[in-house]
Amino acid sequence: MKFAVFVSGNGSNLQAIIEAVKSGEIKAELALVFSDRRKAYALKRAKEAGIPTLCLLRKDYATPQSYERDIIIQLKEMDIDFIVLAGFMKVFTPFFIKKYPNQILNVHPSLLPSFKGARGIKDTFTYGVKVTGVTIHFADDKMDHGPIIMQESFRIAERETLESLEERVHQVERKIYPKAIAMFVEKRLKVSGRRVKILEKPVKK
Ligand code: GAR
C-alpha cells in the first residue's frame, strides 16, 4: 500500500510516521508528502528523509474544486491508496472525500467533538477543562468531524502551562497516530456509520 501525508506546518507527526515506516511498525510505503504551504518545516523533514514532496497553493486556483482536482490527479498518478493528514489545516469538499471514502485519517489535539479547529490545545487550556487528550479519526467534509478511530485522554495538572500541555499532547499524538495508521494498513478498522470497530490482530501461526 502507498500513502501520502498532508502537512501545513512543523511536521512532528510526520516525523513520527517516517520513523514508524522505517521501523516496520507501519507496513506501507510513504510515497509523498503534500503541503499547502511552501514554508512548512515538514517539507524539510520529508526531503531529509528522501521522500518526494509536492506543494500546491490554494491561491493559485480559481475554486476549491479545481485545486482538489489537481491534487487528486497527482495522487492517482502515483497510485496513492490512502491519505494521512498531519497538521493539514484545510477541510476538503465532498468531491475530494468521495475519491478516498474512509481512506483519509486525521489527528486532532483534543477529545473530539470538543475544541475543533486550528487552535485545539489553546482552546482546551483556556476553557479550563480537567481532562483532555488526542483523537484520531477518519476525515470527512466537515472540520474535525468524521468517525473516531482512537482517543487517548489524560488529566490536566494544576500546574499545567500552555507550553507543558502542548508538549504532552504532542507526545500522545506521536505515540498513538502511528499505531492507528498501522491498524488501518492491516485492515483492522471496520467502519459502520460513525462507529469504528478495531478488529483483533490476526494471530500469528
Ligand atoms: C498537531 O497537534 C495536530 O493534532 C494539529 O496540528 C498539529 C500539527 O503539528 N491538527 C489539528 O489541529 C487539526 N484540526 P505537527 O505539524 O508538528 O505534526
Side-chain angles (χ1 to χ4, degrees), residues 6-196:
F6 280 36
V7 296
S8 299
N10 175 31
S12 64
N13 281 286
L14 169 68
Q15 195 65 50
I17 295 163
I18 290 172
E19 275 146 36
V21 170
K22 267 194 203 151
S23 75
E25 183 186 358
I26 297 173
K27 294 179 183 54
E29 182 190 344
L30 173 39
L32 177 72
V33 170
F34 174 85
S35 176
D36 64 340
R37 287 203 195 136
R38 255 192 219 110
K39 287 191 177 152
Y41 185 69
L43 284 172
K44 270 201 181 138
R45 297 182 191 262
K47 282 176 188 147
E48 265 164 37
I51 299 159
T53 60
L54 173 67
C55 183
L56 299 175
L57 309 182
R58 168 67 184 86
K59 70 173 177 57
D60 294 336
Y61 294 81
T63 60
Q65 234 194 45
S66 55
Y67 181 54
E68 292 181 351
R69 192 177 303 120
D70 218 6
I71 300 173
I72 294 279
I73 289 170
Q74 310 275 348
L75 297 180
K76 297 288 175 190
E77 252 173 36
M78 294 187 74
D79 292 325
I80 298 293
D81 298 299
F82 69 100
I83 297 168
V84 169
L85 308 179
F88 185 71
M89 294 304 181
K90 273 195 176 51
V91 177
F92 294 113
T93 71
F95 165 77
F96 190 97
I97 297 293
K98 276 183 198 145
K99 304 282 177 189
Y100 285 92
N102 289 332
Q103 287 163 317
I104 307 173
L105 284 75
N106 186 37
V107 58
H108 185 73
S110 75
L111 294 175
L112 290 175
S114 292
F115 307 110
K116 296 174 181 183
R119 294 148 42 106
I121 305 177
K122 191 157 189 257
D123 292 347
T124 303
F125 186 73
T126 309
Y127 198 89
V129 291
K130 303 289 187 192
V131 175
T132 188
V134 169
T135 302
I136 313 294
H137 66 97
F138 285 108
D140 64 11
D141 59 346
K142 296 182 197 76
M143 188 176 56
D144 302 322
H145 175 266
I148 292 174
I149 298 167
M150 197 185 270
Q151 288 184 307
E152 184 166 311
S153 63
F154 60 85
R155 288 190 65 79
I156 296 181
E158 297 283 323
R159 61 178 185 286
E160 204 80 63
T161 61
L162 178 58
E163 292 70 32
S164 68
L165 182 60
E166 279 169 350
E167 184 44 38
R168 289 178 74 195
V169 166
H170 289 139
Q171 268 179 22
V172 174
E173 289 183 340
R174 294 194 293 264
K175 185 179 83 176
I176 71 170
Y177 206 11
K179 282 199 174 84
I181 299 165
M183 284 175 185
F184 176 82
V185 171
E186 291 162 16
K187 306 207 184 312
R188 293 173 55 206
L189 303 179
K190 194 164 172 266
V191 190
S192 109
R194 280 210 56 89
R195 295 194 168 270
V196 181

